[in-house]
Amino acid sequence: MDFQSFVDGVDMPAAVMSVENTPDNHCGDIYIVCANTPYKQSAPGVYHDNILYTDLIPKEPNFEDFCYRCAVQKQFLHSYAEVKAMHLWTETSYIPIAATSESGNTYYLLVCIETTIQAESDRRASVSVESASFIIQTCLNLRCSKNFSESIHKVVSDIQERTEAFSSCIFLIDSTRKKATPLSAKYRNDEARIEDFAEYLTYDVVSSWIDTVGDHDEIILKDDFDMAELEKRNPVWVKSLRGAKVTSMIFVPLTQGETIIGFLFITNFNTERLVEIKEFIELTAFFISSELANNNMVERLAYLSTIDTLTGVNNRNSMNARIDYHVNGKQKVHTPFGIIFADLNGLKACNDQGGHEAGDRLLQDAAAILKKECDGYEVYRAGGDEFVVIMPAIEKTAFEEAVARIRSASTYGKPVCFAIGSSWSDNSTSLRRCMHLADEAMYADKQAFYSEHHDYQKSIENAVR
């Protein structure tokens, strides 16, 4: 067959490619046999006939799988995917050619390629009716539910069912803390739990995922051959997969911009439906990524609006909202309750002598004491050097013991020194009145402290030096 004349009749960039069928019926070497002028112009000075495709573009297992399915199994295929290593999106049509080599182990296909710099929505949306229906349902589940966790679990469950997989899971990645956390998981066997597989999700395994994915859109394992190929790149991961009895897998990174924020992990799926599954999973993962990124932003904004970023305790806005919730009955502070006001002695001197870095460390140490001694209760930084602790549903003896522990940990001569005021109520005193009494007691304690320790300013200066 005159392949050159055949490919020259195609207007768009196109090439005839050969695929070796190995003795165990897997994809061997893939060559670009010949190409038309538009295709050659995409690689000037590099392209020549009968060139290994990996001499032009990075090795891509999913591309090789489609070439094999098309050339050897005579499937007409189409894909629109990002080639991250080349910063391009490619829309590719795979057309089988009715020709084989004399040896009978080499098959041919026509590959037609169009490239775009950015993803184009109309091309990405070009999926089958069945896939489109599932993807639309996924979007509705993600956007219409008021409970984010419930909506994600519904999507994960739908993926597990549609792929006929043993499991479908979403893991979140926190690169700063170097940990992966399962967000949601659904198993074919309802008795299975994500905790059952914790031993296979060690930090060594989890941290290797990002490097192994690299520039690929996803990792797909269909059989032992693919597993062996992955083992060459990541033996630690494959050992854990085999330990968990994983025989097939789809592993898709979930991204926020260029940053990986999680993974969609599907194991032991119906490999006979791989092409169909790949089509809807890629677009589904895109929408999951968008929703995760949006939820992360909302949670981050909520965190910044309620948490004091220096000390990690609740901030004044959070305290005011808590009081309002109590007053309007939306979230009562259960009685009996106790209130502690703790004001740092010597913060101004520390700032003056050691700079604001020293003052920040002092505030952090102060907050650490309150969090430790009032573990499980509400600690707020009301502003500057003043902290407030609200302790709902606490008996008077336990409350007084907590106040005593704080005094012991922050008395004169300790690195952190608090002026403390407290007030406890069995419901005979309102929350605001109780806070007022604790505030007055704290100021009285501060005046008494400085009256007794005239040298405290000097001791702070010496400590900072």
Side-chain angles (χ1 to χ4, degrees), residues 12-14 38-39 41-43 57 79-83 86-93 111-120 123:
M12 62 191 303
Y39 188 98
Q41 289 174 341
S42 66
I57 62 174
S79 69
Y80 185 59
E82 184 181 12
V83 184
M86 301 177 69
H87 307 290
L88 292 172
W89 283 81
T90 62
E91 182 171 18
T92 309
S93 297
V111 174
C112 302
I113 300 175
E114 287 189 287
T115 61
T116 60
I117 301 299
Q118 301 291 335
E120 296 183 357
R123 294 176 188 260

Side-chain angles (χ1 to χ4, degrees), residues 23-195:
D24 57 351
N25 293 318
H26 285 93
C27 184
D29 290 335
I30 298 178
Y31 284 87
I32 303 173
V33 178
C34 59
N36 62 10
T37 300
Y39 188 98
K40 294 176 181 177
Q41 289 174 341
S42 66
V46 179
Y47 173 84
H48 60 79
D49 288 347
N50 295 309
I51 184 175
L52 272 171
Y53 94 94
T54 50
D55 289 342
L56 288 185
I57 62 174
K59 182 180 177 64
E60 176 50 63
N62 293 331
F63 172 75
E64 293 181 1
D65 179 62
F66 267 41
C67 287
Y68 182 86
R69 288 172 179 273
C70 177
V72 179
Q73 300 176 356
K74 305 305 178 186
Q75 299 178 18
F76 290 82
L77 299 170
H78 171 270
S79 69
Y80 185 59
E82 184 181 12
V83 184
K84 294 183 179 179
M86 301 177 69
H87 307 290
L88 292 172
W89 283 81
T90 62
E91 182 171 18
T92 309
S93 297
Y94 304 79
I95 304 168
I97 296 176
T100 58
S101 65
E102 292 182 1
S103 63
N105 68 338
T106 301
Y107 297 78
Y108 299 90
L109 74 153
L110 176 68
V111 174
C112 302
I113 300 175
E114 287 189 287
T115 61
T116 60
I117 301 299
Q118 301 291 335
E120 296 183 357
S121 57
D122 58 338
R123 294 176 188 260
R124 294 207 75 177
S126 180
V127 296
S128 67
V129 174
E130 293 78 9
S131 292
S133 176
F134 179 83
I135 293 164
I136 291 171
Q137 186 62 51
T138 296
C139 292
L140 291 174
N141 288 334
L142 289 171
R143 298 301 298 165
C144 295
S145 174
K146 295 182 179 179
N147 187 305
F148 177 73
S149 296
E150 289 180 1
S151 66
I152 283 291
H153 186 68
K154 179 65 169 66
V155 169
V156 167
S157 298
D158 288 347
I159 290 173
Q160 181 274 325
E161 181 178 351
R162 186 170 178 83
T163 58
E164 303 174 57
F166 171 72
S167 71
S168 171
C169 312
I170 291 179
F171 289 89
L172 297 182
I173 299 292
D174 187 335
S175 299
T176 303
R177 292 187 292 172
K178 297 183 178 179
K179 66 181 295 187
T181 306
L183 175 64
S184 180
K186 178 65 171 67
Y187 294 88
R188 183 188 302 146
N189 177 358
D190 288 334
E191 294 181 0
R193 303 173 306 154
I194 189 66
E195 291 79 11

Side-chain angles (χ1 to χ4, degrees), residues 315-380:
N315 63 16
R316 187 178 186 85
N317 290 337
S318 181
M319 183 181 75
N320 291 338
R322 181 70 175 95
I323 295 168
D324 289 343
Y325 288 159
H326 172 82
V327 172
N328 63 29
K330 186 175 181 180
Q331 187 181 355
K332 284 286 188 180
V333 176
H334 296 298
T335 56
F337 59 79
I339 304 295
I340 301 172
F341 272 61
D343 193 277
L344 267 173
N345 292 320
L347 178 62
K348 183 178 184 303
C350 185
N351 281 330
D352 290 344
Q353 299 301 318
H356 286 286
E357 287 187 3
D360 288 348
R361 286 194 297 273
L362 182 60
L363 286 165
Q364 290 167 341
D365 292 342
I369 289 174
L370 295 175
K371 286 190 287 187
K372 177 183 176 183
E373 304 303 340
C374 303
D375 185 34
Y377 294 99
E378 304 166 24
V379 181
Y380 301 87

